[in-house]
Amino acid sequence: MSKDKDGPSIPLESVRNIGIAAHVDAGKTTLTERVLYYTGASHKIGEVHDGNAVMDWQPEEQAHGITITAAVTQCPWKDHLIQIVDTPGHIDFTIEVERSMRVLDGAVVVMDGVRGVEPQTETVWRQANKHAVPRMIFVNKMDRPGADLERTLTTVQERLHEDTVPVTVAVPEEQLVLHAIEQQAYTFSGPKGEEVVARPLTEGEVEMLAPFRETLLLTLAEHDEELEEKVLMEEEPDEELVWAVLRRVTLAGIIRPAFSGSALRNWGVQPLMDAVLKLMPSPREKPPVVATRADESEETVEMDPDGSLVCLVFKVQLFDGRRHCFARIYRGTLEPGTRVRVGHTDTEERVARVFDVNSNKKTRLHSADAGRIVLLAGLRHATTGDTLSAPDHPLLLAPIEARDPVLGLAIEPKSSADEEKLHDVLAKVCEEDPTLLFEDDPETGQKILKGMGELHLQINFERLEREFNLEVNVGKPRVVHRETVGGTAEAKGGVDRTIDAGAETIELKASVVARISPLERGGGIEVVSEPSWAPDDLDPSEEQRTAVAQGARDALSGGPVEGSPLQDVKVEVLSVETFGPASGAQALRIAAASAVREALVKAGGQLMQPIMRVEVTVPDENMGQTLGDLQSRGATILGQEPEGDVVRINAECGLSHLIGYAMDLRSNTRGRGQFVMEFDRFDVL
C-alpha cells in the first residue's frame, strides 16, 4: 500500500510513476503545470514565461525560462496517485533525464506539433530505450500555425524508427480533440480548460477521425487475433478490447500511442491523463530489477513492501542548505530511523527523515514502501547511483552512468579569503551533478570546472553567487581533449640502474619492445601482453608477466601531446629481455612503461576534441549566411530540411569552434535562429 500525504492508503496497483521529457521548449513544464492544476495538486497554473511555474522553482530556472533540474511531485487523479518527474530538455542537463529514466515506470514524451522529433527528443528516446521505459507521446502546440499531427508521427517513424498510433486528434479551429478509441469529441471550457465535456461525434468529425481510427485499428490488429478478426470482418470492436490491446503493446514497447492538444491553451490534457492510468504500468507491473549479492551472485528484486529493503539513490540535492537524497524504493518499507547499508562505501548510516516532495516543498512521512519516490535526510555518504539496502542483506543495483564533461573553465574566487570556501562549495555542487568535475590543472596550477557546455557552467556560476554568496572570476572556455596516435610505431625501452637502499644495493635491469597502433573511433584502449621472453629457456613467473602488462598500462595514463587521456590506441608488448635477479617485477614494469612511452612519441600523438551534432533552425532568408558561417567554423553539413518558412540544418562541428556560436547566430538572424548541439564523439579535426 502507498499513502498520499493527507489521504488514505492507495494500492500500489493504483500508483503511476511517470516522467515528462522532451526537447527544450516543447512544453514539458507547461503540460505538467496543467496536470497539477486539473488534479487539484496546485491551486493555480504557473507559466514558464511568467517565471512562476511550480516545477521550475529554482531562481536560475525562472530567470532563463528553462528547466534545469528534474523536479518531483505527485497528484491524485481518479482514485490513483500519479508521481511525476519533470525533466530538463536542454542537452547540457541530460544527466537529469538519465537518472530519472532509471527510476521511472513510464514516460510521456512531449513533441512540438510544428517541429516534430528534434535532437534532444532523440537523446531522451535513447535514454528511455536504454532503461526499457514504456512511453506515450503528447504532440503539443497544435494551436500553432503549421502544426501537423500526421507529419509529427511520420518523424517518429523516420527518425526514431518506432511504430506509433494516434489516439486523440486535435482540431485546433474548435479547440477540441477527437478520441479514436472512445469515438467521442472532448471540449474544454472554463477559465483554465478545467470543464471537460465528452459528446458524440458529428458527421463531419466522424469523417475527419476515420483515417486515424483506421490506422489505429489496423496497427493494433497485427498484434491480437481477436481484434484482427473483428477488423477483417468489419465489425465494431469493443472499446475495452482496443484499450487492452493498446496497453499490452505499449507496455511491451511495440507501439507508442500518441495524443495531441495544446497545453498552453488548456485543451487535450485531461484525455492524456486518463490514458496514463489506462496505459502506463503500476510499480508492480514493471519487470523486477536484478541486484548483486556480496558473493557476486544475482538476486531478483520484486516490488514488494514486505521484503528486505532495497532503494536506489538517483539524485543528491541541497534543500534549505542541507544535503538530501532522492531515492526510489524497490523493495521493503522505509521509516525514519532505519539503518541502511550504503553501496559504494560499504558503511551503515541512519535515515533521519523521510519526505514526500512536491517540487521544492517537503512533507514528512511516517513510512514509505516499495514503489515510492521519496526524499531522504540524514545520509552523509550516499551519492548518485548508490544502493541502500538492509544491513543484514546487502545488495547492489547497477549504478547510474554519467557522461564525461567536455568543456572546462578556469575558476577562482574574487577574494583570496574564499579559497577554502570555493573547494567546499564546489564539492557539494559536483556531488549533486555527476557531469560536473572540479580539478587542478597540473601544468598551470589553475582550478578548472568542467561541464557539459557553456549554459551548464553559466548556470552553476550563477548558483554559486546566489545560493552560496560566492563570487568567482572565470577564465576563457577550455575544451576537454583526448589523444590518440597517427600511425604505428615500435620502440625499445628499458632500465639499467642501481638503487642505493642503505644496507644493500638493488640492481634494476630489463629491456622491452612494444608496438603502438591506432584503433577505429570508439575502439577504446587495448593492451596485448603476450611477448617472447629472453633468454629462451626462461619461464617467467606470474608476477613478472603481470608487471609487464601493468607497466604498459602505466604509460597510457596520458598522451604525448599534452598529457590528455588516450583513447582508440592498441598496445602490443612484443618481447622482453631479462637479466637474472635484476629483472624483477619493478624493473620489468619500468621497462615496459618506458617502451610504450617511446612508441607513443614515435607513432605521433594527435589531439582529439569533442565533435558535436548540431541542429540549427533559421528562416529561409538566413540559410545561405548560416551555412557559410558554419562552414567557416569547420562544420560538416549533413543535410537540410525545409519546414514551412524555416530550414533545419544538420551538421557536425568541433566544440572549440562553437563556443559563442549561440550569440553569433542570434545576431545574424535578428534573434530568430535557434541552435542546439549534442556530444557525438571525440575525433581529430
Side-chain angles (χ1 to χ4, degrees):
M1 303 290 281
S2 181
K3 295 180 180 179
D4 68 24
K5 56 191 175 184
D6 297 315
S9 295
I10 296 176
L12 201 54
E13 290 78 8
S14 298
V15 174
R16 300 291 183 269
N17 291 316
I18 65 166
I20 311 292
H23 182 91
V24 64
D25 200 34
K28 301 175 310 303
T29 302
T30 301
L31 173 63
T32 307
E33 292 295 319
R34 269 65 186 173
V35 171
L36 295 179
Y37 179 72
Y38 296 146
T39 59
S42 176
H43 299 297
K44 68 180 184 67
I45 294 179
E47 301 291 4
V48 175
H49 53 266
D50 292 333
N52 60 4
V54 173
M55 303 302 281
D56 286 350
W57 58 272
Q58 289 189 341
E60 290 79 18
E61 294 177 309
Q62 296 167 355
H64 291 270
I66 61 171
T67 301
I68 293 169
T69 183
V72 180
T73 190
Q74 56 182 267
C75 52
W77 184 248
K78 297 185 176 179
D79 299 323
H80 286 67
L81 178 69
I82 304 177
Q83 295 190 118
I84 298 176
V85 180
D86 179 31
T87 63
H90 198 286
I91 188 62
D92 282 14
F93 310 103
T94 189
I95 182 61
E96 296 287 340
V97 183
E98 176 69 27
R99 55 190 177 186
S100 297
M101 287 295 178
R102 174 64 188 278
V103 299
L104 292 172
D105 297 332
V108 176
V109 178
V110 184
M111 298 183 188
D112 187 317
V114 178
R115 300 185 183 278
V117 174
E118 300 180 83
Q120 183 64 359
T121 316
E122 297 182 54
T123 302
V124 166
W125 205 269
R126 286 195 298 270
Q127 290 170 312
N129 283 341
K130 177 180 176 182
H131 299 293
V133 178
R135 71 215 73 144
M136 305 158 53
I137 297 168
F138 182 67
V139 182
N140 194 24
K141 302 190 178 184
M142 291 301 296
D143 58 304
R144 294 180 58 197
D148 190 322
L149 176 60
E150 289 185 85
R151 188 180 67 227
T152 298
L153 299 188
T154 298
T155 66
V156 172
Q157 294 172 327
E158 292 177 350
R159 300 186 65 172
L160 302 179
H161 311 293
E162 296 274 7
D163 288 332
T164 182
V165 293
V167 180
T168 62
V169 179
V171 184
E173 300 81 8
E174 300 179 41
Q175 295 197 359
L176 57 80
V177 296
L178 310 180
H179 206 296
I181 297 179
E182 299 173 0
Q183 299 188 83
Q184 290 184 314
Y186 280 88
T187 61
F188 308 88
S189 57
K192 298 294 183 179
E194 66 272 20
E195 298 174 13
V196 184
V197 176
R199 60 165 175 77
L201 300 171
T202 65
E203 288 186 12
E205 291 166 350
V206 169
E207 185 177 344
M208 186 187 307
L209 186 61
F212 294 100
R213 180 169 168 80
E214 183 179 21
T215 297
L216 171 74
L217 294 179
L218 288 175
T219 303
L220 295 182
E222 296 176 6
H223 304 282
D224 186 85
E225 291 183 4
E226 182 182 354
L227 182 59
E228 181 182 32
E229 183 178 346
K230 288 185 177 294
V231 171
L232 290 176
M233 297 299 293
E234 297 186 355
E235 297 178 9
E236 195 66 28
D238 294 336
E239 182 182 316
E240 292 77 11
L241 175 61
V242 179
W243 276 118
V245 176
L246 181 57
R247 186 174 203 272
R248 177 164 52 81
V249 295
T250 299
L251 297 186
I254 299 171
I255 301 292
R256 313 299 184 182
F259 300 77
S260 58
S262 171
L264 183 63
R265 304 302 175 198
N266 307 313
W267 46 275
V269 177
Q270 290 93 331
L272 174 72
M273 295 159 59
D274 290 340
V276 165
L277 307 187
K278 291 178 180 289
L279 300 177
M280 292 289 98
S282 72
R284 287 197 189 280
E285 293 174 295
K286 283 286 286 181
V289 296
V290 177
T292 304
R293 300 188 185 99
D295 61 3
E296 299 189 358
S297 62
E298 292 185 346
E299 178 177 325
T300 300
V301 178
E302 302 278 356
M303 197 72 69
D304 180 6
D306 297 325
S308 62
L309 182 68
V310 181
C311 306
L312 180 71
V313 174
F314 66 95
K315 183 176 179 179
V316 176
Q317 188 165 330
L318 296 179
F319 272 86
D320 304 322
R322 295 183 178 180
R323 189 179 192 274
H324 291 72
C325 296
F326 281 96
R328 173 74 191 271
I329 307 175
Y330 285 96
R331 189 173 68 191
T333 300
L334 190 59
E335 301 174 347
T338 300
R339 293 199 67 81
V340 295
R341 178 186 176 275
V342 180
H344 85 285
T345 63
D346 201 20
T347 59
E348 292 184 20
E349 292 195 83
R350 188 175 68 88
V351 176
R353 299 282 187 274
V354 181
F355 300 98
D356 259 342
V357 63
N358 177 16
S359 187
N360 63 331
K361 297 180 177 63
K362 302 179 298 182
T363 303
R364 287 179 61 172
L365 293 173
H366 297 297
S367 68
D369 51 28
R372 293 295 294 272
I373 294 175
V374 292
L375 189 68
L376 308 178
L379 300 177
R380 293 181 301 143
H381 303 295
T383 189
T384 299
D386 267 341
T387 304
L388 306 180
S389 57
D392 60 351
H393 194 96
L395 291 174
L396 284 177
L397 298 170
I400 294 175
E401 297 178 3
R403 290 184 178 179
D404 293 332
V406 296
L407 185 68
L409 290 172
I411 179 174
E412 64 180 15
K414 285 189 175 181
S415 170
S416 58
D418 288 334
E419 189 77 33
E420 186 174 342
K421 182 180 179 181
L422 177 67
H423 279 267
D424 293 341
V425 167
L426 286 178
K428 294 178 181 178
V429 173
C430 291
E431 189 176 29
E432 286 187 341
D433 186 346
T435 58
L436 281 174
L437 179 64
F438 180 54
E439 62 184 16
D440 292 323
D441 188 319
E443 294 183 3
T444 65
Q446 290 180 309
K447 293 169 176 46
I448 307 294
L449 184 64
K450 297 178 181 178
M452 300 305 295
E454 290 180 274
L455 180 61
H456 188 205
L457 294 171
Q458 177 189 344
I459 292 294
N460 280 283
F461 294 143
E462 292 176 9
R463 186 182 170 201
L464 293 183
E465 184 171 350
R466 172 191 60 84
E467 191 171 331
F468 300 100
N469 195 29
L470 180 63
E471 296 186 32
V472 296
N473 294 319
V474 179
K476 293 182 178 180
R478 177 178 176 179
V479 174
V480 175
H481 290 143
R482 297 288 186 268
E483 291 187 38
T484 189
V485 292
T488 300
E490 292 183 13
K492 184 175 183 179
V495 59
D496 186 1
R497 68 173 184 259
T498 301
I499 299 176
D500 187 358
E504 61 176 340
T505 58
I506 300 174
E507 184 180 3
L508 302 177
K509 188 172 183 180
S511 178
V512 174
V513 176
R515 178 192 294 142
I516 290 285
S517 55
L519 292 175
E520 293 183 0
R521 293 295 167 259
I525 296 290
E526 183 180 346
V527 177
V528 179
S529 183
E530 298 175 355
S532 60
W533 291 77
D536 295 338
D537 59 350
L538 176 70
D539 182 15
S541 67
E542 186 61 32
E543 184 182 19
Q544 288 176 308
R545 294 179 187 275
T546 301
V548 170
Q550 187 58 54
R553 292 188 182 91
D554 290 344
L556 298 176
S557 59
V561 180
E562 62 176 27
S564 295
L566 281 160
Q567 69 178 48
D568 305 338
V569 169
K570 180 178 182 179
V571 180
E572 299 170 90
V573 181
L574 303 178
S575 63
V576 178
E577 185 178 6
T578 62
F579 301 88
S583 298
Q586 184 179 3
L588 291 169
R589 186 168 178 173
I590 294 171
S594 173
V596 172
R597 280 194 291 268
E598 288 291 330
L600 281 170
V601 173
K602 290 177 67 175
Q606 293 185 321
L607 275 182
M608 306 168 74
Q609 72 160 296
I611 305 299
M612 314 300 287
R613 287 199 307 156
V614 179
E615 183 174 280
V616 186
T617 305
V618 294
D620 277 338
E621 63 264 28
N622 299 120
M623 184 182 71
Q625 182 183 10
T626 303
L627 286 172
D629 186 22
L630 284 170
Q631 289 168 338
S632 72
R633 297 171 185 267
T636 300
I637 307 300
L638 303 177
Q640 305 162 38
E641 301 174 29
E643 294 181 352
D645 59 351
V646 300
V647 177
R648 179 187 290 176
I649 301 170
N650 295 295
E652 59 179 34
C653 185
L655 177 59
S656 61
H657 301 310
L658 292 171
I659 294 172
Y661 178 63
M663 186 176 295
D664 292 342
L665 179 66
R666 284 195 294 270
S667 175
N668 293 337
T669 62
R670 298 181 181 180
R672 297 173 65 194
Q674 295 186 12
F675 151 69
V676 291
M677 65 179 178
E678 177 186 5
F679 172 76
D680 185 56
R681 67 189 187 280
F682 280 95
D683 211 337
V684 179
L685 283 183

